[in-house]
């Protein structure tokens, strides 16, 4: 009994300390303009992220995985690409906590969307928008929110409830569905109400099916594919890419809804 009490007390104290540090971090870096905060985050990610990765094994893992895709890329170029990945994560974190500053004027200045009408069409009618942890994957949701369209975002809850609440508060103008036992029920209700859901598809799902991915077998969920078939719901791809010459500016590519001429459900999936 006493052991459980002490363990619970230690957990609560750790959660409180984590929250205080994160709260101070958010409050401090939201005092800066988005571009300045993003540049600071990029510097931290590129340098501190890579430094820490030397001791955690993440650098070796990242360099090896880059080799799965770019088999003939020299190691020095893989390292450079890995550092850019760390930089992007640092920039994303700073942009995420500052997204309430992403108004219509900011989008007009910083984000090029060649197929804006197509994007709004899919989001208004209700679809699945699929993307990856690439560039800034939150900008899509923020953009359509400015047009009065609520997009559902599926997220992995943080175990620390205080941190989780702080994390969710930073996302502006979205429905937010936690992964878990009730997520499927909520997702179906949103489909019936013609709401668009954004899906990050580059996360491994141990309960998912195995498919070939860069000549390797990789687990991936097939839930949205099956829901798309059952409810005749479009799946469209979107990618928000940083410009090479200025990482504070973006181009958002929208693809046409995926179609298949297969017959059975398994073939369609």
């Amino acid at each position: 009994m006493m052991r459980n009490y002490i363990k619970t007390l230690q957990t609560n104290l750790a959660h409180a300390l984590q929250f205080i540090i994160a709260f101070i971090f958010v409050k401090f870096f939201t005092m800066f303009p988005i571009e300045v905060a993003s540049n600071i985050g990029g510097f931290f990610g590129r340098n501190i992220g890579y430094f820490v990765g030397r001791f955690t094994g993440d650098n070796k893992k990242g360099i090896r995985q880059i080799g799965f895709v770019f088999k003939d890329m020299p190691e020095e170029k893989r390292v450079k690409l890995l550092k850019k990945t760390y930089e992007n994560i640092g920039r994303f974190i700073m942009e995420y906590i500052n997204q309430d500053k992403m108004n219509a004027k900011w989008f007009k200045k910083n984000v090029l969307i060649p197929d804006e009408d197509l994007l709004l069409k899919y989001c208004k009618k209700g679809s699945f928008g699929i993307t990856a942890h690439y560039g800034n994957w939150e900008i899509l949701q923020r953009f359509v929110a400015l047009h009065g369209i609520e997009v559902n975002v599926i997220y992995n809850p943080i175990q620390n409830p205080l941190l989780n609440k702080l994390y969710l508060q930073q996302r502006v103008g979205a429905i937010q569905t936690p992964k878990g036992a009730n997520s499927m029920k909520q997702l179906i209700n949103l489909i019936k109400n013609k709401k668009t859901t954004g899906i990050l598809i580059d996360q491994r799902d141990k309960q998912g099916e195995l498919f070939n991915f860069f000549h390797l077998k990789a687990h991936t969920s097939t839930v949205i594919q099956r829901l798309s078939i059952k409810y005749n719901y479009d799946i469209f791809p979107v990618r928000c890419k940083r410009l090479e010459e200025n990482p504070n500016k973006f181009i958002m590519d929208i693809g046409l809804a995926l179609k298949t001429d297969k017959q059975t459900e398994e073939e369609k999936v």
Side-chain angles (χ1 to χ4, degrees):
M1 186 88 176
M2 181 58 71
R3 282 183 180 178
N4 290 339
Y5 175 78
I6 293 173
K7 187 175 181 180
T8 301
L9 181 61
Q10 289 174 332
T11 300
N12 290 340
L13 288 173
H15 284 176
L17 180 60
Q18 291 168 357
F19 171 77
I20 290 170
I21 293 171
F23 182 82
I24 293 171
F25 175 91
V26 169
K27 289 299 180 183
F28 180 74
F29 284 107
T30 51
M31 293 190 299
F32 296 92
I34 298 177
E35 291 78 6
V36 174
S38 178
N39 290 339
I40 294 171
F43 176 84
F44 284 162
R46 185 172 59 252
N47 295 284
I48 297 177
Y50 185 77
F51 177 77
V52 172
R54 290 178 175 177
F55 304 98
T56 62
D58 286 333
N59 288 0
K60 288 183 179 179
K61 184 177 180 181
I63 290 169
R64 183 177 72 252
Q65 290 179 338
I66 290 170
F68 293 156
V69 185
F70 304 107
K71 296 184 181 297
D72 299 324
M73 180 180 283
E75 184 165 337
E76 61 270 20
K77 287 192 176 182
R78 295 188 198 181
V79 170
K80 185 178 180 181
L81 184 55
L82 181 63
K83 287 183 177 180
K84 289 184 71 175
T85 302
Y86 283 128
E87 176 182 341
N88 186 65
I89 294 170
R91 287 184 177 277
F92 170 81
I93 291 170
M94 294 298 195
E95 291 160 357
Y96 179 80
I97 65 175
N98 280 286
Q99 63 177 286
D100 61 329
K101 299 171 188 171
M102 294 179 178
N103 53 26
K105 183 178 179 181
W106 182 88
F107 270 94
K108 187 174 181 180
K109 178 183 177 183
N110 295 290
V111 185
L112 175 63
I113 311 177
D115 295 303
E116 178 180 324
D117 291 341
L118 183 63
L119 170 62
L120 295 176
K121 172 188 170 184
Y122 285 140
C123 290
K124 285 177 181 177
K125 67 178 286 193
S127 309
F128 289 122
I130 58 172
T131 188
H133 291 86
Y134 185 96
N136 187 319
W137 53 93
E138 289 278 344
I139 284 182
L140 164 66
Q141 170 267 316
R142 179 59 182 155
F143 175 76
V144 296
L146 291 174
H147 287 76
I149 305 170
E150 275 189 321
V151 171
N152 176 47
V153 177
I154 298 176
Y155 70 95
N156 283 315
I158 300 172
Q159 290 185 342
N160 181 337
L162 297 173
L163 274 185
N164 193 62
K165 185 176 180 180
L166 182 64
Y167 162 69
L168 296 179
Q169 286 174 344
Q170 308 310 307
R171 187 179 280 126
V172 183
I175 306 167
Q176 304 189 72
T177 300
K179 280 188 175 180
N182 296 321
S183 59
M184 180 60 67
K185 182 178 179 181
Q186 184 169 342
L187 194 53
I188 291 172
N189 286 334
L190 290 165
I191 290 172
K192 290 178 178 178
N193 286 286
K194 302 299 181 183
K195 295 290 186 181
T196 289
T197 293
I199 309 285
L200 287 159
I201 59 169
D202 60 338
Q203 301 179 92
R204 184 179 65 162
D205 184 344
K206 291 181 180 179
Q207 279 72 49
E209 299 178 45
L210 282 171
F211 293 91
N212 288 324
F213 185 69
F214 290 109
H215 309 292
L216 299 171
K217 293 291 184 181
H219 285 96
T220 188
S221 172
T222 58
V223 171
I224 63 164
Q225 294 92 317
R226 297 185 187 282
L227 289 173
S228 170
I229 293 164
K230 182 175 180 179
Y231 293 98
N232 193 28
Y233 228 57
D234 282 337
I235 300 176
F236 71 95
V238 55
R239 178 179 64 176
C240 193
K241 180 169 61 175
R242 293 186 191 277
L243 299 187
E244 190 72 29
E245 61 273 18
N246 185 347
N248 286 305
K249 294 187 181 296
F250 305 86
I251 181 168
M252 193 184 299
D253 297 320
I254 313 299
L256 294 174
L258 306 180
K259 301 295 181 184
T260 175
D261 57 1
K262 302 296 183 182
Q263 298 301 312
T264 70
E265 180 177 330
E266 290 305 314
E267 288 175 332
K268 288 178 179 179
V269 169

